[in-house]
Amino acid sequence: MKKIYIKTWGCQMNEYDSSKIVDLLKQNQRYVLTKEPEKADILLLNTCSVREKAQEKVFHQLGRWKKLKQNNTNLIIGVGGCVASQEGEQITQRAPYVDIVFGPQTLHRLPQMINKCCNSKNPIIDISFPKLEKFNNFPKITAKGPSAFVSIMEGCNNYCTFCIVPYTRGEEVSRYSNEILLEISQLALQGVREITLLGQNVNAYRGMNANGTICTFSNLLRLVAEIKGIDRIRFITSNPVEFTDELIEIYRENPKLVSFLHLPVQSGSDRILNLMKRSHTVSYYKSIIKKLIKARPNIQISSDFIIGFPGETRNDFDQTMKFIADINFDMSFSFLYSPRPGTPASDLPNEITYEEKKRRLYLLQSLINKQAQSWSDRMIGTIQRVLVDKVLRKDMKEISGKTENNRVVIFKGSHNNIGKFVDVKITSNNVNFLKGTLINEVLK
């Protein structure tokens, strides 16, 4: 059997896409996944363009793979994802040993691209935007554990000045609701108990129902909650502007929706939010959180922060720190601003030194880590519902799983609990994970 090695960078959407690529090539061309690039017949890199120097990171990896290509002229190297969409043929110009370049919307065409590649000396490049075509060409749904990602929409229409996503993933397009529900139902039949709905702007979902009407994100959540076997629902990533009162009401009425929300804000300064072209203010964001807490008093919030955006003063940063303390965020994705080529913010003057950016990021992450540990400490002595997903050490009979608020809990128990919800009493906080004692085995 031929072997495929795939390296994935970036968001959960990329993880989802990579899993589909593996399933697609397994079904169409009998490829099997390998963890050793040296043994692969095809090497794929699924890229992300959000972080600093994303392109250089790609070419450094390709440089390492070049040596493998020199030793095996039949080896196929492909680059996909957002950097592929952004750079296109420049990838093959700079790295002529790359055979295939594909975008996030054309990954389903990989089997055909591979066939063409075997019969052609020229690289195959397809970074077009055929909207929902890829979802109609995915292979049979296969579960890989008790939790699963399901993509419900792609792209973004917000065009924040720092963000490359609308240019690499395209504008918003939503899948048909019946296709999403069918995919989740098939996963549930295979033992999946937790679903995470994915989208670049997931709560902007507006999919077509079978009768021609529009299904809002709130309606979709209600429909997913009705699927037998699905007991826990998450979604990522959402936008404050699309966080409607109807969506907040779901938290009041449906316990399957977890008491944990990732809601990106990016800054605690209205002036910086305006420069970022974020369509919300700090007070508006706080009003959402206030309503959420009223609907779900135990909810915990995580967020995204960009530090050192062009023009960010110390006062702007101080406002962000105060904002973080006011909300009492639990966890964050926070990183230094770096210009993405082609975005409006890349033309803004940035007089903040790299050292100052690093100092601010350190202070911000220290505050959020302190708050996250405080949230974990509060869990000691409580009983948490845990979805068991791993056997850690068979000799010790240690297993692990996740709570609603994304904490990993390690405790002693039987492997028969894998894929089940159990009750665990939290006994200690070990910084990166919690430890606990099993109370009830195999609840459901």
Side-chain angles (χ1 to χ4, degrees):
M1 281 185 147
K2 294 175 288 187
K3 296 179 180 179
I4 174 178
Y5 175 86
I6 184 165
K7 191 175 188 68
T8 306
W9 291 327
C11 64
Q12 287 90 343
M13 186 75 79
N14 270 18
E15 295 287 348
Y16 176 84
D17 284 349
S18 290
S19 70
K20 294 301 181 183
I21 288 172
V22 172
D23 290 344
L24 192 68
L25 294 183
K26 181 179 180 181
Q27 176 177 291
N28 284 273
Q29 298 189 335
R30 299 178 66 96
Y31 276 93
V32 294
L33 188 65
T34 178
K35 294 183 180 180
E36 301 176 80
E38 298 81 8
K39 296 183 178 180
D41 298 283
I42 180 168
L43 300 173
L44 295 179
L45 185 56
N46 195 4
T47 64
C48 172
S49 58
V50 170
R51 295 300 178 94
E52 186 177 9
K53 298 180 180 178
Q55 298 95 321
E56 292 309 307
K57 188 177 179 181
V58 168
F59 288 111
H60 287 157
Q61 180 62 57
L62 290 175
R64 290 187 284 270
W65 285 355
K66 180 182 179 180
K67 298 174 183 177
L68 297 177
K69 181 89 168 183
Q70 291 170 338
N71 296 329
N72 178 9
T73 56
N74 293 322
L75 177 66
I76 294 174
I77 297 178
V79 180
C82 290
V83 173
S85 182
Q86 180 181 323
E87 298 297 307
E89 64 180 17
Q90 293 183 33
I91 292 175
T92 55
Q93 289 174 2
R94 186 169 168 182
Y97 48 89
V98 170
D99 303 288
I100 298 172
V101 178
F102 60 98
Q105 308 300 342
T106 54
L107 60 88
H108 62 288
R109 297 175 181 173
L110 263 175
Q112 292 77 26
M113 293 185 206
I114 292 170
N115 290 337
K116 287 182 181 179
C117 182
C118 294
N119 299 313
S120 172
K121 294 182 180 180
N122 298 318
I124 310 298
I125 301 174
D126 188 348
I127 53 172
S128 58
F129 292 89
K131 293 188 176 180
L132 297 175
E133 181 184 303
K134 76 176 184 181
F135 293 105
N136 298 324
N137 288 275
F138 279 159
K140 183 180 177 182
I141 307 301
T142 54
K144 297 176 177 65
S147 300
F149 293 130
V150 174
S151 178
I152 67 168
M153 58 90 69
E154 293 227 11
C156 183
N157 294 346
N158 290 316
Y159 288 90
C160 298
T161 60
F162 58 83
C163 187
I164 197 70
V165 166
Y167 308 97
T168 58
R169 288 255 180 193
E171 295 193 331
E172 292 169 3
V173 57
S174 299
R175 294 178 66 188
Y176 289 99
S177 61
N178 62 315
E179 293 177 0
I180 296 168
L181 298 172
L182 176 61
E183 181 173 346
I184 296 173
S185 296
Q186 291 174 337
L187 288 167
L189 289 173
Q190 297 176 57
V192 169
R193 294 293 170 259
E194 177 183 83
I195 288 292
T196 301
L197 304 178
L198 298 178
Q200 271 77 37
N201 191 16
V202 69
N203 53 333
Y205 173 83
R206 299 289 186 278
M208 193 75 73
N209 289 316
N211 61 5
T213 60
I214 295 297
C215 179
T216 66
F217 185 57
S218 300
N219 290 337
L220 182 67
L221 286 174
R222 291 188 176 99
L223 293 170
V224 172
E226 292 176 2
I227 296 175
K228 185 178 179 181
I230 300 301
D231 296 294
R232 193 181 270 178
I233 304 171
R234 304 180 187 274
F235 58 84
I236 195 170
T237 296
S238 51
N239 191 298
V241 176
E242 302 284 351
F243 223 93
T244 63
D245 288 343
E246 183 185 9
L247 178 52
I248 292 171
E249 188 60 29
I250 304 293
Y251 283 89
R252 191 189 311 278
E253 68 184 44
N254 200 323
K256 289 189 177 182
L257 192 58
V258 298
S259 295
F260 188 90
L261 170 67
H262 184 74
L263 186 60
V265 65
Q266 308 302 353
S267 175
S269 163
D270 283 338
R271 193 179 71 85
I272 297 300
L273 289 174
N274 185 53
L275 288 173
M276 290 177 169
K277 200 187 170 186
R278 297 286 287 176
S279 300
H280 61 84
T281 62
V282 169
S283 62
Y284 179 77
Y285 187 98
K286 284 184 174 181
S287 71
I288 294 173
I289 303 304
K290 185 177 180 180
K291 292 176 184 177
L292 275 168
I293 291 173
K294 188 175 181 181
R296 188 74 69 85
N298 62 332
I299 196 165
Q300 291 169 237
I301 311 295
S302 69
S303 195
D304 291 350
F305 293 93
I306 296 175
I307 304 305
F309 188 82
E312 182 189 78
T313 65
R314 291 195 177 187
N315 182 53
D316 293 319
F317 178 69
D318 289 343
Q319 289 180 43
T320 297
M321 292 291 281
K322 182 179 184 303
F323 175 70
I324 290 170
D326 289 345
I327 299 294
N328 195 16
F329 284 105
D330 176 22
M331 306 182 194
S332 78
F333 294 103
S334 50
F335 46 90
L336 301 179
Y337 170 77
S338 60
R340 303 268 60 81
T343 60
S346 64
D347 295 326
L348 295 176
N350 193 354
E351 298 177 353
I352 311 169
T353 65
Y354 182 65
E355 289 71 22
E356 176 61 15
K357 286 182 184 179
K358 287 199 299 183
R359 186 189 74 85
R360 294 178 188 180
L361 181 64
Y362 173 78
L363 292 173
L364 182 144
Q365 291 180 337
S366 295
L367 175 58
I368 290 184
N369 287 339
K370 182 179 179 181
Q371 292 178 179
Q373 289 306 311
S374 178
W375 279 108
S376 294
D377 287 341
R378 295 183 199 181
M379 297 173 68
I380 297 174
T382 65
I383 294 176
Q384 298 289 324
R385 183 63 52 90
V386 173
L387 178 56
V388 184
D389 57 10
K390 289 180 183 177
V391 173
L392 295 181
R393 292 187 291 179
K394 291 184 179 180
D395 56 331
M396 301 281 292
K397 291 187 176 180
E398 278 193 334
I399 56 179
S400 72
K402 283 189 177 180
T403 62
E404 270 198 50
N405 61 350
N406 279 325
R407 263 53 175 189
V408 173
V409 184
I410 296 175
F411 53 98
K412 289 187 177 181
S414 167
H415 69 276
N416 292 327
N417 290 304
I418 299 295
K420 308 292 184 181
F421 285 96
V422 299
D423 283 341
V424 177
K425 185 175 182 179
I426 307 302
T427 56
S428 66
N429 173 18
N430 292 56
V431 182
N432 294 321
F433 60 90
L434 303 173
K435 296 211 75 171
T437 302
L438 186 62
I439 302 298
N440 291 312
E441 284 196 281
V442 191
L443 293 178
K444 55 181 176 180

